[in-house]
């Protein structure tokens, strides 16, 4: 096993990679079904179901504002674990993925802004191509099996985790509506109570979930997007293990994370993809297909991500501020940079926040995200496959057991 996988976080990371990879393949299938449904005789039923109201919200809003809060709860748990007890727990481990993630967010956003500089309303979507879909990316990586060094999966996961943090901050700072002070105060009180429970050592999960639900309702009414409640609640869930128990078995954070993983990977994220990837191509005009929004997103994901991440990795390694991942070469890193351009879930989500659901821009966002993500997936797969073939020829690829093959 490579050095990066040794230690108490190994089994947690291994389980994460397996779940995310399989979930990514399910997500790919869900997105394909959405496109088929939107462009078939079932399109009326498909869009009608999404806009059907169940209580105060439509089905689409329940998915985007409700179920995605659970997705962000899991993202927050993963982020906290990686920073405190995982592959981002030291500054040495954070250096390479941190620089790569920052450049991989800044360059795509700059490309989008440059393409849409003359259209002020479209500039609101600057953060759309800055996101990476870890499930989708690892799903593509899973198709290559053991031909890819495990260190690359760790690097891609670390980049995506830091990328998620950037997306969360962007949502909180730039995609929240006018604030309502009283509900916001209620949300803050709920989070403070959860932090107090963690401080006094409460390790049962139900108080965190029950009070977290109240925080979600208050956040929904406050003007800050409700999914931010998931992240805030996650930050309060204790990580401290109980002596004498197996790794992570007694930690509330680990228990909740392990229970949520299958639900999110095989339920919530594919459902989100099915609800948001459907775009009807018939009747779309040139602006929707070739305008600044879709071109900026596609160029940001496909061009901006790979040059931003690869450039940052080159600089960090050449300056000896970080080391090349074990068993990898520059072609491998280029493949990872390309796969990071798969923005699907988070990009679509930010697109909804940026432009809403009405008009032509939401369809333009979907087209740009689908085009950029598909190009990145195909190019990344091809690059890593060619790197794996070269690696096997020269015997420089390590398999998951740490032996050369």
């Amino acid at each position: 096993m490579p050095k990066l996988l040794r230690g108490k976080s190994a089994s947690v990371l291994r389980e994460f990679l397996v779940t995310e990879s399989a979930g990514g393949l399910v997500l790919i299938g869900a997105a394909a079904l959405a496109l088929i449904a939107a462009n078939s005789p079932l399109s009326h039923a498909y869009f009608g179901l999404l806009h059907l109201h169940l209580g105060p919200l439509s089905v689409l809003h329940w998915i985007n504002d409700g179920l995605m809060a659970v997705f962000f709860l899991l993202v927050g748990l993963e982020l906290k674990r990686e920073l405190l007890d995982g592959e981002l727990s030291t500054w040495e481990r954070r250096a390479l993925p941190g620089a790569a993630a920052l450049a991989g967010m800044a360059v795509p956003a700059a490309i989008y802004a440059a393409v849409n500089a003359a259209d002020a309303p479209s500039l609101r979507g600057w953060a759309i191509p800055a996101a990476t879909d870890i499930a989708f990316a690892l799903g593509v990586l899973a198709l290559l099996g053991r031909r890819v060094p495990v260190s690359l999966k760790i690097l891609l996961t670390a980049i995506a985790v830091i990328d998620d943090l950037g997306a969360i901050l962007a949502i909180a700072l730039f995609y929240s509506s006018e604030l309502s002070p009283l509900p916001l105060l209620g949300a803050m009180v709920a989070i403070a109570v959860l932090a107090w429970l963690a401080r006094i050592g409460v390790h049962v999960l139900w108080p965190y979930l029950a009070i977290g639900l109240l925080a979600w309702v208050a956040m929904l009414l406050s003007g800050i997007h409700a999914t931010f409640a998931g992240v805030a609640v996650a930050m309060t869930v204790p990580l401290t293990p109980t002596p004498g128990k197996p790794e992570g078995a007694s930690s509330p954070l680990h228990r909740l994370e392990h229970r949520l993983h299958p639900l999110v990977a095989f339920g919530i994220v594919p459902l989100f993809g099915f609800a948001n990837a459907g775009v009807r191509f018939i009747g779309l005009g040139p602006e929707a297909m070739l305008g600044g929004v879709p071109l900026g997103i596609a160029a940001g994901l496909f061009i901006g991500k790979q040059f931003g991440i690869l450039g940052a990795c080159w600089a960090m390694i050449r300056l000896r501020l970080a080391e090349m991942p074990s068993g990898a070469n520059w072609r491998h890193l280029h493949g990872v940079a390309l796969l990071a351009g798969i923005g699907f879930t988070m990009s679509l989500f930010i697109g909804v926040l940026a432009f809403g659901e009405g008009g032509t821009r939401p369809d333009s966002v979907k087209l740009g995200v689908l085009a950029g993500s598909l190009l990145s997936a195909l190019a990344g797969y091809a690059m890593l496959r060619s790197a794996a073939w070269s690696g096997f020829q020269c015997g420089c690829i390590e398999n998951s057991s740490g032996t050369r093959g």
Side-chain angles (χ1 to χ4, degrees):
M1 181 179 293
K3 185 177 180 180
L4 280 174
L5 280 179
R6 291 173 184 163
K8 60 183 179 180
S9 63
S11 65
V12 175
L13 180 61
R14 192 181 304 113
E15 180 181 339
F16 171 86
L17 292 173
V18 171
T19 304
E20 292 291 337
S21 298
L25 297 177
V26 175
L27 175 59
I28 294 172
L33 285 177
L35 289 172
I36 293 172
N39 294 278
S40 72
L42 297 173
S43 62
H44 182 73
Y46 169 77
F47 290 109
L49 175 62
L50 293 178
H51 292 94
L52 177 68
H53 269 70
L54 298 177
L57 302 176
S58 67
V59 171
L60 185 60
H61 280 141
W62 278 116
I63 294 171
N64 291 346
D65 292 347
L67 293 181
M68 286 300 283
V70 181
F71 166 79
F72 276 91
L73 171 61
L74 180 59
V75 168
L77 294 172
E78 292 167 352
L79 177 62
K80 182 175 180 178
R81 171 176 54 78
E82 290 296 337
L83 289 173
L84 298 182
D85 194 39
E87 296 305 320
L88 298 174
S89 58
T90 64
W91 287 108
E92 291 79 6
R93 291 181 174 182
R94 295 170 189 163
L96 185 62
L102 291 175
M105 289 183 282
V107 177
I111 289 177
Y112 179 92
V115 172
N116 291 276
D119 184 5
S122 294
L123 285 175
R124 183 168 168 78
W126 64 270
I128 297 172
T132 294
D133 188 316
I134 181 58
F136 214 140
L138 285 177
V140 175
L141 205 61
L143 298 176
L144 293 163
R146 294 187 175 182
R147 288 172 289 189
V148 176
V150 177
S151 60
L152 288 186
K153 299 178 183 179
I154 298 171
L155 176 63
L156 180 58
T157 301
I159 291 173
V161 168
I162 298 172
D163 192 288
D164 283 343
L165 176 59
I168 291 165
L169 293 175
I171 291 170
L173 296 175
F174 301 103
Y175 296 106
S176 295
S177 56
E178 294 183 7
L179 298 181
S180 298
L182 191 58
L184 180 58
L185 178 62
M188 294 174 64
V189 169
I191 299 301
V193 171
L194 291 177
W196 175 73
L197 291 177
R199 185 176 181 81
I200 65 174
V202 175
H203 277 208
V204 292
L205 287 173
W206 70 263
Y208 295 95
L209 298 178
I211 300 174
L213 180 60
L214 296 177
W216 173 79
V217 173
M219 203 78 77
L220 182 66
L221 299 173
S222 71
I224 297 178
H225 198 271
T227 53
F228 193 70
V231 179
V233 171
M235 294 298 105
T236 67
V237 178
L239 182 61
T240 307
T242 301
K245 296 292 183 77
E247 175 196 332
S250 61
S251 170
L253 186 145
H254 283 91
R255 296 202 313 269
L256 183 57
E257 184 182 2
H258 291 172
R259 293 174 187 177
L260 288 179
H261 254 307
L263 172 64
V264 171
F266 301 109
I268 292 175
V269 170
L271 183 59
F272 173 86
F274 180 75
N276 288 274
V279 54
R280 187 169 175 79
F281 296 108
I282 299 173
L284 286 180
E287 177 63 24
M289 303 183 71
L290 300 174
V293 171
L295 288 180
I297 294 171
L301 287 172
F302 182 60
I303 299 174
K305 278 288 186 181
Q306 63 169 307
F307 283 101
I309 291 176
L310 189 61
C313 288
W314 180 87
M316 293 294 290
I317 292 173
R318 290 300 184 192
L319 294 174
R320 298 189 178 183
L321 299 175
E323 296 181 354
M324 177 73 72
S326 175
N329 56 38
W330 287 109
R331 193 179 296 182
H332 287 118
L333 288 185
H334 193 181
V336 166
L338 282 163
L339 289 185
I342 303 175
F344 197 76
T345 303
M346 195 70 81
S347 291
L348 288 175
F349 184 78
I350 294 175
V352 171
L353 299 182
F355 299 121
E357 300 170 15
T360 60
R361 280 198 178 93
D363 285 338
S364 298
V365 169
K366 293 177 184 179
L367 288 173
V369 171
L370 289 171
S373 297
L374 182 60
L375 285 172
S376 298
L378 294 176
Y381 178 85
M383 180 66 69
L384 287 171
R385 188 173 179 84
S386 68
W389 176 251
S390 300
F392 279 121
Q393 286 184 319
C394 69
C396 62
I397 297 294
E398 289 186 358
N399 61 28
S400 60
S401 64
T403 60
R404 295 188 180 273

